[in-house]
Structure formats: C-alpha cells, structure tokens
Amino acid sequence: PTPAPVRCMCWTLRSYILSYIILFLSCTYCHTYLSPPSLSGSVPDIAVHFGTKTRYEDVVRPGLNLSSAAAGCSPVHLTAVIRHGTRFPTVKNIRRIERLSRLVQSQAPRGHGAPSWLREIQEQWQQWYTEDMDGRLVEKGRADLRNLAMRLFSSFPGLLSEAGLRGGGITVKTSSKHRCVSSAEAFQEGLHQTTGTQTVVDDSLMRSFERCRGYVEGVETNATATEEVDRFKHGPELRQVRARFSTFLSFVVADLVEAAFFICSYELAIKSLYSPWCRLFTKEDAKVPTDPSLVSSVSPRLVPLQSSFCPRFVLGKSCFSPRFVFVSSSVSPASVLV
Ligand SMILES: *[C@@H]1O[C@H](CO)[C@@H](O)[C@H](O)[C@H]1NC(C)=O
Ligand SMILES: *[C@@H]1O[C@H](CO)[C@@H](O)[C@H](O)[C@H]1NC(C)=O
C-alpha cells in the first residue's frame, strides 16, 4: 500500500487561523498573537486538542478588531490565508468510522456490565456518515466563512469597502477541492459580493506541493518517508490509548483509535454534540492522536523532513492548509486567495 503522505507538524491549525491572518497583514510592524481556544459549556475537555477540527466559534473573540489590535498602524493592504470551513470527514475516515462502529456493535460487551458511554454508543448513537459526504463543506462551514468575512470586513471597513471591491481590489483564489471552492463562495457571500469578484481556481498556487519535486519524490511517493509515523503508531504513547480500547474490543488498530477521536471532533464541529465517543479518551490520551500532525512533538525529525523541501509549499500543505488564502498584489488594496 502507498504510505499516507506526511501531512503536518502542527496540531494547532484552525485555532490559530486568526493569528495567521494577522501575521499576513502587510501593515508595518503590526503583529500580535492570539492564544489557543478556551472552551467551556458542554464541550468535551479534549476539544482543545482537536487541531484542524476545532470549531471556529471556539476561537472567535467577539468584538475583536483585528485592525485596532495593531495600534498606530494604518492598514494599506490585507493578505489572509484561510482554511476551509467545517466539513464532513473524507471517505477514508468515513470507512474507518463505519468499521469501528460495526466492531463496537458486534463485538463489544453489552448490558449493565458495560460502561455507560459504551451502552450509549450501542443503544443511542447512529452511524450517520455516508461515503458521498466525502469531505464536503457542511452548511455550518459556509456560515463559518461568511462570518469570518463579516468580521474581517468590520475590522477593515476601509480596505474592504464597497469602493475597494468595485475597483477590483479583491482577488479570491482557491484550490479546486470542492470544500475549498464552496468556502470561497461563502466567503464572498459574507463580503456581500455575489457579483464582481470571481473565484479563481489556482491549483498551481494553492496545491503547489503537488508539483513540488522535493515533496513528491521525497515524501509523497517515498515508501520510507513516513516510517516515523509508523513507529509512532506502534509506540508507547499510542499503546496506552489502545489498551483502553482493549477493555471492550479484542483488537483495535491505530487507525480506528484515530477514527473514534475524529467522531468526537466531527460531532462537536458539525452537530455541536458531546458524542459518547469522546469519553473513550482521557485528556492525556487526546494529546496522542495517531495523526502525523502530532508526531513532530514525538519525532522531531519529521519537521525538517517536511520543511526542508519547498518550505513555503509544504508549510502550506502541512501547517495550516491554506486552501483559502487572501493574498496581496502590489496594486490592489486588498486581495483574497482562497
Ligand atoms: C476597527 O478598527 C478600524 C480602525 O481603527 C475602524 O475603522 C473600524 O471601524 C473598527 N471596527 C469596529 C467594528 O469597531
Ligand atoms: C525518503 O525518506 C527517507 C526517510 O525520511 C529519506 O531519508 C530519503 O532521503 C527519502 N528519499 C528521497 C528520494 O527523498
């Protein structure tokens, strides 16, 4: 089998989107930093480790004015790199979820001896993911992007003003992935820009890693590039998490542990539900997902492995997946790359 591409060294992602937007503001000396989300209410405590699956609403700071955060600066140009909104799992993970769900239904112990969360999964939880959902943007994901556009607009009314838009000052670029194109459209809706600006699909820029020889040969098609990931999957951190699973399932591969973690994060992100699957993980466990994104903290060598090739591109794919970027051009007051 072909190894999964090494995707990422950052497990922070969506939670830091706002920070990245600020980083990309081309306004002299403007720089600030936003801390990770602080979550409350009926949100699993492991949600702070959801990384790219973190809900937008958990990192939004109401009333935050990105423009005035940069005191003394007068923005002349806006560049933002934005990830797509909330979406369904991809088909690969939907199949894993299906497999895990069948295993739990057919093999896990039932009745009063079983822990309450297990009974809840068996008796109340429905496997509702279907393969056609395959990574598509959910309706809430559209709202994520519309709201983000509105927040940006209220922070930079001058830059993103109608006049600016009419003058063709905004460029929107996206990768061809459907969830990214949908995100781009929703973003423009948020700017009240149904006409005027077109969304430009530009894979040579937005999926540039695909054409980066260093990445393709060094990682994507390199059978040994992910060996540290494989070691991690069989390492002590994950063994501990799998041991918990073994109390109710005789055998669980690392991919299915990850699937359970994903169910927890997707159900919170898509449905705002505290899924019973979340209760399989302690807070310590949640720091150890099987996704390569976390592996860097365990295997630091993965970081140079990725970033030494085409740093900009690989950073793009791995760190915050800028399928959705606002980008500058020297003549435009504000431009958007999606
Ligand atoms: C944010 O700050 C900018 C610049 O100071 C200002 O023009 C804009 O009106 C502010 N937006 C809000 C919503 O306060
Ligand atoms: C494949 O990955 C291994 C392990 O990271 C690395 O040492 C090797 O140089 C890579 N091969 C190519 C062709 O880049």
Side-chain angles (χ1 to χ4, degrees):
T2 29
V6 175
R7 274 203 308 266
C8 174
M9 55 266 193
C10 300
W11 185 243
T12 48
L13 302 254
R14 178 131 358 120
S15 43
Y16 287 107
I17 283 171
L18 287 179
S19 323
Y20 282 114
I21 291 173
I22 292 174
L23 277 174
F24 278 84
L25 294 182
S26 55
C27 157
T28 328
Y29 302 124
C30 299
H31 176 239
T32 186
Y33 175 77
L34 304 179
S35 53
S38 61
L39 307 174
S40 58
S42 58
V43 172
D45 58 0
I46 61 174
V48 291
H49 301 295
F50 283 171
T52 55
K53 316 280 181 309
T54 301
R55 298 189 300 180
Y56 274 89
E57 59 263 46
D58 291 327
V59 292
V60 168
R61 296 198 184 168
L64 175 71
N65 189 331
L66 292 169
S67 178
S68 59
C73 291
S74 168
V76 293
H77 185 94
L78 177 64
T79 297
V81 181
I82 299 175
R83 191 177 158 87
H84 54 72
T86 305
R87 45 104 168 176
F88 291 114
T90 53
V91 72
K92 184 183 79 177
N93 281 317
I94 290 175
R95 286 182 186 142
R96 288 177 179 169
I97 289 170
E98 174 67 31
R99 252 165 64 214
L100 178 66
S101 150
R102 281 214 203 113
L103 269 180
V104 168
Q105 294 297 356
S106 63
Q107 290 189 13
R110 291 182 171 265
H112 291 300
S116 63
W117 52 264
L118 184 54
R119 290 207 308 271
E120 206 179 312
I121 291 173
Q122 289 167 329
E123 290 158 21
Q124 288 164 35
W125 186 79
Q126 294 283 329
Q127 203 303 83
W128 60 280
Y129 303 93
T130 53
E131 292 192 7
D132 61 322
M133 292 173 177
D134 192 19
R136 292 185 181 280
L137 203 65
V138 297
E139 186 45 45
K140 182 159 170 276
R142 297 190 75 88
D144 291 334
L145 273 293
R146 278 196 300 270
N147 293 334
L148 181 59
M150 288 190 267
R151 289 195 301 277
L152 270 184
F153 192 91
S154 66
S155 283
F156 300 96
L159 272 185
L160 294 170
S161 69
E162 217 177 311
L165 304 182
R166 270 205 225 101
I170 289 199
T171 312
V172 181
K173 290 194 177 184
T174 178
S175 94
S176 59
K177 284 268 174 194
H178 46 59
R179 57 181 166 278
C180 303
V181 174
S182 306
S183 295
E185 288 164 0
F187 187 87
Q188 286 184 302
E189 280 165 31
L191 287 179
H192 302 295
Q193 263 221 295
T194 44
T195 55
T197 310
Q198 281 200 331
T199 299
V200 180
V201 171
D202 184 354
D203 279 345
S204 65
L205 181 66
M206 303 309 298
R207 298 182 63 77
S208 47
F209 51 87
E210 286 178 341
R211 300 175 192 204
C212 165
R213 225 179 101 205
Y215 180 76
V216 172
E217 289 174 13
V219 180
E220 192 92 43
T221 58
N222 178 352
T224 57
T226 54
E227 60 191 11
E228 296 212 27
V229 177
D230 298 330
R231 268 207 292 281
F232 175 70
K233 284 187 176 181
H234 297 99
E237 297 86 1
L238 205 58
R239 205 174 304 132
Q240 221 169 3
V241 184
R242 285 164 69 180
R244 194 181 325 283
F245 277 66
S246 71
T247 59
F248 64 96
L249 282 183
S250 52
F251 180 73
V252 161
V253 292
D255 288 348
L256 296 191
V257 174
E258 188 183 44
F261 191 72
F262 281 158
I263 300 175
C264 173
S265 61
Y266 276 114
E267 308 222 325
L268 181 69
I270 300 173
K271 295 184 156 185
S272 292
L273 280 182
Y274 192 139
S275 171
W277 290 96
C278 303
R279 287 157 62 199
L280 270 82
F281 299 92
T282 65
K283 237 183 152 177
E284 280 308 299
D285 293 342
K287 293 178 188 163
V288 193
T290 63
D291 193 283
S293 47
L294 233 215
V295 178
S296 62
S297 62
V298 181
S299 309
R301 268 175 300 160
L302 277 182
V303 176
L305 169 76
Q306 293 181 85
S307 52
S308 58
F309 303 113
C310 309
R312 195 177 136 226
F313 303 154
V314 177
L315 177 76
K317 181 165 187 196
S318 52
C319 237
F320 49 97
S321 308
R323 320 289 165 68
F324 190 29
V325 184
F326 287 61
V327 122
S328 51
S329 79
S330 51
V331 288
S332 312
S335 34
V336 188
L337 246 194
V338 184

